[in-house]
């Protein structure tokens, strides 16, 4: 009965406040991609794209990427450029991207705190607070104990855990895309890029229909992607197509005003699933919806073939 009342409130308040307006925010993990920055002649191509589109976006930072190439000062400047962008909100993604369920609470906390140094410094310089945290792999712990321990810690540090409703395994598309580019197979790379666009749009549509089925309306979606080559070349097309499909591109902060994000997370495993699944009461309900997702078997197969070579 309590769940039904909660659901009624969410549907009613959502309809009253938001109507049927479709919106989505762009959030980007694993910033800054210093390896690509070096490859591109120290030109921040993805940042330039986002600035040219003049849309809000949120970045989740791994500071260890500053040390991934030998151009440390240039890499620091790259991170500062991301942080100071007028359209950017900033978040912590840990220092070195460990998997929480593997390393455990104390080691993970040390990595969270180590990942704040430059981000807080640049954030203070440009008047931006570091209030959002996203888990690497969206792994929030292997069981209820780990989940509760890290939630308590993050809350004590005034972090808000960053949710998402839509992701399209862009990291896997990117791996295959870069493989083709590195081998001079440009047509094959282009086909992967186009497939990435179509699958992403299909997944946005699927999760929006799921939201309508659960809440009786479109919700303020949050898209999770990464600082990588395929987004440098194709995120612009995705955003154009989303706008053509009547989606407003809004800030992460704006998305979080949707009351769906105030719900309790009922999922206590390590897998990084959409929050639309996390809010479901039972695994049976999750599985029912998961079976209806647009499939990614083709890119999964290509990815595995390349790994196996």
């Amino acid at each position: 009965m309590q769940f039904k009342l909660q659901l009624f409130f969410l549907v009613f308040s959502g309809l009253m406040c938001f109507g049927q307006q479709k919106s989505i925010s762009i959030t980007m993990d694993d910033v800054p991609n210093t390896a690509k920055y070096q490859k591109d002649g120290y030109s921040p191509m993805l940042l330039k794209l986002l600035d040219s589109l003049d849309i809000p976006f949120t970045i989740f930072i791994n500071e260890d990427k500053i040390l991934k190439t030998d151009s440390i000062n240039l890499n620091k400047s790259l991170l500062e450029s991301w942080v100071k962008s007028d359209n950017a909100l900033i978040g912590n993604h840990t220092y070195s991207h460990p998997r929480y369920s593997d390393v455990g609470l104390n080691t993970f906390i040390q990595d969270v705190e180590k990942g704040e140094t430059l981000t807080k410094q640049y954030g203070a310089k440009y008047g931006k607070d570091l209030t959002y945290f996203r888990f690497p792999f969206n792994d929030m712990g292997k069981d209820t104990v780990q989940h509760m321990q890290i939630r308590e810690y993050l809350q004590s540090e005034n972090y808000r855990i960053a949710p998402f409703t839509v992701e399209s395994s862009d990291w896997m598309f990117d791996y295959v895309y870069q493989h083709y580019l590195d081998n001079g197979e440009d047509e094959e790379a282009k086909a992967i890029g186009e497939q990435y666009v179509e699958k992403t749009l299909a997944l946005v549509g699927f999760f929006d229909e799921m939201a309508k089925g659960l809440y009786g309306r479109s919700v303020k979606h949050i898209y999770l992607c990464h600082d990588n080559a395929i987004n440098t070349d194709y995120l612009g097309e995705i955003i154009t197509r989303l706008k053509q499909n009547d989606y407003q591109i809004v800030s992460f902060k704006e998305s979080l005003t949707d009351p769906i994000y105030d719900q309790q997370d009922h999922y206590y495993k390590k897998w990084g699933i959409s929050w639309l699944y996390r809010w479901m009461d039972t695994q049976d309900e999750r599985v029912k919806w998961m079976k209806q997702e647009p499939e990614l078997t083709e890119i999964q197969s290509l990815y595995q073939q390349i790994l196996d070579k």
Side-chain angles (χ1 to χ4, degrees):
M1 183 64 181
Q2 184 178 3
F3 172 74
K4 289 181 178 179
L5 287 172
Q6 180 190 43
L7 186 59
F8 172 79
F9 170 76
L10 287 165
V11 172
F12 179 76
S13 62
L15 287 171
M16 291 295 290
C17 295
F18 305 117
Q20 291 300 308
Q21 174 66 56
K22 297 192 295 186
S23 72
I24 192 166
S25 56
I26 306 300
T27 67
M28 193 164 298
D29 292 2
D30 300 355
V31 175
N33 188 335
T34 52
K36 183 164 181 7
Y37 180 54
Q38 184 178 53
K39 193 173 183 179
D40 290 340
Y42 301 102
S43 180
M45 302 302 292
L46 183 52
L47 176 58
K48 286 182 176 180
L49 168 70
L50 291 166
D51 283 343
S52 72
L53 293 171
D54 194 25
I55 59 167
F57 59 89
T58 300
I59 57 172
F60 291 92
I61 295 164
N62 299 121
E63 291 191 12
D64 79 325
K65 291 185 178 297
I66 300 300
L67 305 178
K68 293 295 185 182
T69 74
D70 56 7
S71 306
I72 294 173
N73 288 331
L74 285 170
N75 293 341
K76 286 181 178 179
S77 295
L78 171 63
L79 176 57
E80 184 173 359
S81 295
W82 275 103
V83 172
K84 81 175 187 179
S85 172
D86 290 339
N87 289 319
L89 294 174
I90 59 174
N92 188 342
H93 198 39
T94 71
Y95 178 76
S96 63
H97 209 275
R99 182 178 278 281
Y100 171 46
S101 63
D102 287 344
V103 302
L105 181 66
N106 292 333
T107 298
F108 192 76
I109 287 174
Q110 290 171 14
D111 212 76
V112 172
E113 294 174 349
K114 190 175 180 181
E116 298 174 339
T117 308
L118 286 172
T119 307
K120 281 190 172 179
Q121 176 185 322
Y122 295 143
K125 183 175 179 179
Y126 298 103
K128 298 184 179 183
D129 294 329
L130 183 60
T131 57
Y132 302 116
F133 178 82
R134 179 169 278 159
F135 286 83
F137 310 101
N138 281 284
D139 177 346
M140 297 168 66
K142 63 185 178 182
D143 53 30
T144 55
V145 173
Q146 279 198 336
H147 274 246
M148 296 310 297
Q149 285 175 329
I150 196 62
R151 281 181 181 278
E152 288 175 2
Y153 163 75
L154 292 171
Q155 187 174 13
S156 73
E157 297 297 311
N158 296 314
Y159 273 118
R160 177 164 184 176
I161 296 171
F164 70 92
T165 56
V166 185
E167 67 94 20
S168 56
S169 297
D170 68 306
W171 57 272
M172 189 159 47
F173 282 98
D174 182 66
Y175 188 88
V176 177
Y177 181 68
Q178 290 196 75
H179 170 79
Y180 284 138
L181 288 179
D182 290 344
N183 286 279
E185 299 174 89
D186 293 349
E187 288 303 312
E188 289 81 356
K190 181 181 177 184
I192 294 300
E194 291 171 350
Q195 185 184 144
Y196 168 54
V197 172
E198 296 303 326
K199 288 295 183 182
T200 298
L201 294 169
L203 283 158
V204 171
F206 168 76
F207 284 110
D208 198 47
E209 288 303 310
M210 180 196 292
K212 290 176 183 176
L214 295 171
Y215 306 111
R217 63 177 176 88
S218 291
V219 301
K220 290 183 178 292
H221 287 288
I222 297 169
Y223 178 55
L224 184 161
C225 60
H226 296 80
D227 180 1
N228 58 28
I230 204 164
N231 281 312
T232 301
D233 294 341
Y234 287 94
L235 185 59
E237 174 67 14
I238 289 171
I239 289 166
T240 297
R241 295 275 296 277
L242 286 169
K243 289 180 176 179
Q244 290 171 350
N245 291 335
D246 299 321
Y247 280 91
Q248 268 190 304
I249 310 300
V250 301
S251 73
F252 182 61
K253 189 178 292 186
E254 170 66 19
S255 289
L256 291 176
T257 65
D258 192 317
I260 65 162
Y261 296 106
D262 296 330
Q263 295 179 89
Q264 182 180 347
D265 182 349
H266 298 288
Y267 183 78
Y268 297 105
K269 298 182 181 180
K270 69 178 184 178
W271 310 113
I273 58 176
S274 166
W275 260 247
L276 289 172
Y277 292 128
R278 289 180 180 272
W279 295 319
M280 293 176 182
D281 284 334
T282 68
Q283 183 66 7
D284 286 345
E285 187 179 7
R286 292 184 195 104
V287 170
K288 180 191 77 173
W289 283 102
M290 286 176 178
K291 287 180 177 178
Q292 300 175 57
E293 276 193 33
E295 51 81 24
L296 296 173
T297 52
E298 183 177 349
I299 194 66
Q300 289 165 349
S301 177
L302 284 169
Y303 174 74
Q304 194 58 52
Q305 286 175 33
I306 293 167
L307 285 182
D308 291 343
K309 283 184 178 179

